[in-house]
Each structure stands twice: as C-alpha cells, then as structure tokens.
Amino acid sequence: MQAEKRFSEKSIKLLRTEIADADGNEVFALGFLGDSGLVDRIEVLARGNESSVLVISKKMEGADVFIHNHPSGFLTPSDNDLAVAGRAAEAGIGAFIVDNRVEQVYVVAECIKRRKTEKLNGERIIAALEEGGAIAKALPAYEKRQSQLDLMALIIRGFNEDALAAAEAGTGVGKSFAYLLPAICFALANDERIVISTATITLQQQLFEKDIPLVLSGMKKNMKTALIKGRGNYLCRRRLWDTLQEPFLDDRDNDELRAVLAWADTSKTGSRSDLSFLPADGIWSRICSDSENCMGMRCPEREACFFMAVRREAADARVLVVNHHLLFADLAARYEGAGYEGTVVLPPYNRVIIDEAHTIEGASTSFFSEEFSRLGLFRHLGRLYRRRVNPAGLLVRLANTALGRDEADEFIDKAAEIIQRIRDGADSLDQAALELCVKEGVFRLTSARQNAVEIALVPHLLALQKELTSLCGMIRETFEKLDEEQEDDNTVWEIKAILRRLDSIGAVSRALVEFTEAPDKVMWIERHRGGTGGDWASFTISPLDVAAVLKESLFAPNKTVVCVSATLSIAGNFNYWASRSGFGLSEDRQSLTGIFPSPFPYASSVLLAVPQDAPLPDEPAYRSFVDRAAAELASSAGGSALILFTSYDALKSAYAASRPVLEEQGIRCLKQGDDDRSRLLDAFLKDESSVLFATDSFWEGIDAPGDTLRLVILCRLPFKAPNDPVFEARCEALEKQGISSFMELSLPESVMKFKQGFGRLMRRSSDHGVVAVLDGRLVRKRYGDFFLRSLPATQRSFAPFSTVLREAERFLYPPSKV
C-alpha cells in the first residue's frame, strides 16, 4: 500500500529523516492521527536493529499506531512483528511496517478510531451550584460561594484541556463539590474512569456515602461508583479458616478468630472497619487479604472473596474513591513495567483528582520506603515455627505433608536451629543499633559515620542476611519435593509469602551494609520505646527525593491531574509544593494554578494573638512561659481549646502545669497518648469545655465546629526536628547544591504546617475564636512575615502577654452593650 494513504506528507518526511539518521537501521515510533485521519505526528521511541528488545507498553498511552521500518524492504511481518502488534492491540492501537524510504506501508493492524472527547459545558455545570441550580437545591443549607464556583471553573479547564491543575481552596470553599461535579459530568459524558484519592479514610467515606450520592441525586443521574481501600482492610476467608485449624492457638486468639468467623457469615463487605470490635494487629495480619498470599483463581473461596467482590465493583465503576497509599501502589506498579492499559492494583484510568494534595510528598516517601524490625521479623518466624508443649507452625505442617516421618523430624530440627540463630542474631543487631541511637533516638547512616557502622552493625547485618538465606533456601528445597497437587496447599502459599518477606529483610540488610553506594537513599535506625519487652530498633530506607518519580508515574501518563488542598502555597506562591511533588517538573504539560480564598469572615471572627514578650524557643525562660501562658489562655477562654505542640516533652510539661489549674475550674484536660486518636477526638468533641493537648497528627484533619473549639494555641512554629533523618538528608542535599536549605525547605515546610494548625479554628462561617501563637520568632524574626502573609486577614493582638490575655478574653466574651 502507498504510504501517503496512511501518512501525511509532513510525517513521511520526518520518519524518513529519522531512519536515515539511524543509518538505515530499525526505528521504532508512535504515530498520532490528525483530523484528516492520516498519521500527522511522529514520536520516535528508539533506534536499533532487529536484535533490539523494546519495552513499549508504558509509552503507548494516547498514541494511535505503533510504527517501525524493515531495512530489507520486505514488509511481511515476522513472528516478532506479530507479537509486538499484539501488544499494541492490547493497548488499543494499530501497527504499521514501512520501508526505509517510507514509500510503502504494510498495515498489520488498523488504527482504532478514537472516540472524540466531549468537553464539559462550564456554564451549565457552574449553574448547578448557583442559587436555584440542581445541586444547590439538593444541599440542606446552601449559600453561594464565589470562590467555589471559580475553583470549579479551573477544574473544568483541567478536564477540557487535558491539563494539570493545582488549587489552594481555603476552609469553607467547598472543594469536594467543586471537583465532584465536573468529574461526574465528565465520566458520564465520555464513559471514562476517574480516580479520586484522599489522605484519610474519613474523607473517602464522606465522599462515597454522602457527597457523590447527593450530586448524582441532584443531577437525576445514575452512575456506578466504588470505594476501594487497601486489600489489607478486607478479610480473607481462606486464611481465616486456615488459621483456625492451627494447633495450640491461645484461648484469646481462638475467641477473636471465632468472633470474626461469625461476623464474616453476615458481613456484606468483609471490611475491618465494619467489625464491632478491633482485632489485635497480630491476628488481623494472619487473616486479612494479602497479595502475596492470594491464590487467585485457584483459591477455594474465590467465589465468596470479599476483595475480589470489591475489584469487580471497581471494574464497572466510573468513579473510584481511593486513598493515597492505594493510588501510589498502583502508580508504582505501572511505572515499574505493568503498563497503563490493564488492571493492576486499580482498573485503568487516565484522569486523577488528589484531595489533601499537600500530603503527597510525605505519603509517597512513606510508600516507597522499606523497613524491618526485630519484632516484625519475630512475628514471621513465629508463624513458621514455635514450640510450646509440642512443635507447631507452618513448617511443621509442611514437613508432615511433604516428608516422611524421619525426614520431617530432621527438617524441623534443622529449621528450629536456624530460626533460633536468626532470633539470637536479631537480638544482637538490635542491641548494637540501640547503642548507636542512645543520644538522639535516631542514627542516620552517613559517610562520616562509616567507621562506626562497619564496626557496630555490618557484622550483625551480614550474619542475619546469611542465616535468612540459609533458612529460605532450605525451605525452598523442600518445596521441590512437593507434587503438583500439594503446591496449591494453603500452607505452601502462606510459607511462600513469608519467605518473600524474609527475602526483603535480607535485601534491606544488604543495602544497609552497602549504604555508601546509594546516595539517592536515606538510611537510618530509630529507637522505639517498648513495654515489658524493652526498647527496640527499626531499620528504614527511604528515597531522598520523590519528585522525579511522581512526575513520571503520576503527572506524565495521565491526561488530567487535579490537586487540591487548603494549603499548597506560601505567601501566594506554589513553587515549594510544586517542586517537592513533581508538579513543577512537568514543563511540557499545560499547568493551571489558582488560589481560592475562604468565604469565612476571618477579618471579623478570628483574633490572631501573639505575645510580643514571648521568649524565643532557645531561651531558658521559654518552657515555663509556654506552660503558664497555655494554662492562663485556656482558663480565660473557659476551655474549648486545642493546644498544639511540636514535641511530646513540651506537651507533657504544659499538661502537668495546666491540669490542676483547669480541672479546679471544672475543665476536663485530655492528652494525646492517653487514648487512641479517634477516641480522644470523640471525647473532645462531646465535652464542649474540654482542652486537648496534642502534637503532630492533630495539626491537621481535626474538624471541631462551633463552641467545641474557641481557642487554638500554637505553642511553637512547626519547624521540622533537626534529627528527622529524611529531612536532614534533604537539607544536606540542597546545601551541597549551594541552595539555602532553610529558605527552600525548612521555612516553607513549616509555613505549610502552620497554616494547617491555624485552620483548625474556623470550620463553619458562624465560628468565632482566637488563634494564639506563643513563639516570639513570629514577630521578632524577619522570616515571621512569611507565616503572617500566608494567613487570611484577621483581627490582631500583637502586644505584651498580659494585654494579649485581656484582649483575647474580651474578643471571646465581648462586654454586653448597654
């Protein structure tokens, strides 16, 4: 066939030039159809010869045809050509072969005519949230918010223009509806799947159970949506039955397992959150769904599998509501070679909305990290083998299945010996690691500490890796003696999953030994306070930088990525977040940004109170000042206060000083650490006059509207602790480039968190209260202006503490007018 029947003149010339530049060798390219139906744009993937092997699946997204030349001029497809064409077809694109002059073309597979994307009608969608609109009518307490409508207009552009969008939406803007309405309209119009990712399960559930149904109801539309959690949240029936059959179960464990079994018979979801009680982590980890233990189609419980039911729901859904961890698990697998066309962790998609997007650097760093500890290792070993009255565990069951009696006894004895050596070695490693952590609680492996690492840690790490390799090898040798039917035994699958985890621990041990060869990684040891078992150490490896990975895995392959949060900018600038998240690295993509201020009346309803005589945190009087000021401010407010700290030691000191004063007035004091986070927050919300003393996790995600919260005290500007190993390594990397780590990392990160803490106060337009900052740096240091310029306009009291205390009380309880 003549090439001009499939290619435009421009694309023929370009392809001909590329082939000539490759000295007539094979060129592999993607073609994109123009309005004429001809290939009008060429994107070259690689140049090589017939022995070249290309991984093309990751690059095919959005193309119309895969093209390569035959230097021989003989265009009949080879077996390899047909295999590549098959892969192209799986990606939904055609396959062409051309000669070196691009005069002839052999059509192995025709291009699939792509459906034209139906753009959103912005005016019509925005009208639905204006007064009298379909969605506005469905809202129980509607009020027009111009910033919400402006935000929606930006998001509509993101969909219509296949763009990246970052939006800072202040508290009360109503960002959920601003992105849900365009997302749902786009999914309905184009039959495309859209993923909405959040940082918390609470927001996931609100979107899925409340907000999405309200939007669909207002639109009078039906559409399949799905809420997806990580598979570890779902019960695995097969693993539950298998665990119940283990001999020598503790009575307590057996009771919990029986209770889960009874619940499973009636549960529709199998989700851990639906249980009326909270199983111990050690129990749940043995019975939850797990990718490494999953038998797939060979599982006897596959028809009743809770997780597979969720996957079936997801496959039919147009909107998926997920959390960041699950999204990153899917993106990582696709980026590492699984491709973007099929189901991996999630079904395929190419449009993503990320809520609470200020967290994605931290969430992705956590996801891409590896770690192990003595306690985790012992849990795996205990599953394999334990001895109480008699030997028990998975290895005992394996030996009884696969080996004769004498051989089984020998196998168990040998495994028990190796496992004991691993336990002893892990204890020795732990002790050595704890000694290194004795001063700060954290020890980062750096070139300056190479000698200490080689003396104290390396021998223990190498010994541990050696014994793990020995144990895993011995067990795998036993697998070779199994017949085909025994290979599908539940016990074998459980052991294989544990072996993969032991392999991972061995790999982390080796990486720690060779830490100087990985400058792009941060490796450290951390001391954890234990109970009766004593302190223990964790060993962690994290990426130094995630921006490039996020660019390539999230922003580059997806047509639309919308990032929204209440805190993305510093003094009106997105540069810090954009550079850390990978958003700012996508220079070849259209990027839209916007700041949409809160409609709440901060100027009249919030007092920002800063004592000008507050000591600086490095001054001796600072701790006693905070202890006294926190108590007096909370007392004058009559409670209803959230007091936020950056360290637990400071929290304990202020709590000890304040509690007698406040409880004498009938004000209940709650302290983080005395109960789990959800119960503590619930107690705070129910007791309107209570005071909650809290640290890191309470600086964001707390929603306490009304008189429950009238006073927020930020005791210290939330600069990252200098001994945070990842933060420290990132600062060092910037300094090596001649960049100020304080201005480029420490300060902007602190401002972002400061904004989150400030945002705890005003949750409804009717809220009214005081935010007090007890850190003198806010008004005495030049950089304090960065913090102040990042906040909305408020009433201010910048004065000596005695004046601040009086003005705060007057603001909360204004004198009655005569």
Side-chain angles (χ1 to χ4, degrees), residues 613-631 645-658 715-716 774-776:
D613 53 353
L616 299 181
D618 58 356
E619 294 176 351
Y622 176 72
R623 174 68 65 87
S624 59
F625 170 78
V626 169
D627 292 350
R628 175 176 61 86
F645 300 83
T646 58
S647 81
Y648 197 68
D649 284 344
L651 180 154
K652 289 191 293 184
S653 176
Y655 178 81
S658 303
C715 295
R716 186 168 179 160
L774 304 182
D775 189 332

Side-chain angles (χ1 to χ4, degrees), residues 129-172:
L129 256 180
E130 291 185 314
E131 192 166 355
I135 307 303
K137 287 179 182 177
L139 291 169
Y142 171 79
E143 55 184 84
K144 182 177 178 179
R145 303 171 186 176
Q146 188 58 47
S147 51
Q148 182 183 52
L149 303 180
D150 294 340
L151 170 60
M152 193 186 305
L154 181 85
I155 294 170
I156 289 169
R157 282 189 63 196
F159 279 102
N160 283 347
E161 299 172 23
D162 289 348
L164 308 180
E168 179 173 278
T171 306

Side-chain angles (χ1 to χ4, degrees), residues 282-299:
I283 288 292
W284 185 256
S285 67
R286 292 161 65 181
I287 61 176
C288 67
S289 180
D290 179 90
S291 59
E292 294 184 341
N293 281 291
C294 182
M295 296 178 68
M297 294 304 294
R298 289 180 284 189
C299 179

Side-chain angles (χ1 to χ4, degrees), residues 76 156 176 206 209 223 228 231 253 259 281 317 484 492 526 529 539 578 581 593 595 625 636 669 726 733 737 746 809:
T76 302
I156 289 169
S176 298
Q206 177 185 316
E209 297 169 4
M223 184 179 68
I228 310 177
R231 69 186 301 157
D253 290 353
D281 288 341
E484 191 173 332
V492 174
E526 184 172 359
R529 299 295 177 187
F539 302 80
S581 67
T593 59
I595 296 175
F625 170 78
S636 70
C669 292
V726 176
Q737 299 173 52
S746 299
E809 184 172 1

Side-chain angles (χ1 to χ4, degrees), residues 116-131:
K116 191 173 181 180
T117 300
E118 184 177 328
K119 298 197 177 206
L120 296 175
N121 183 319
E123 290 184 5
R124 187 183 305 160
I125 294 172
I126 290 171
L129 256 180
E130 291 185 314
E131 192 166 355

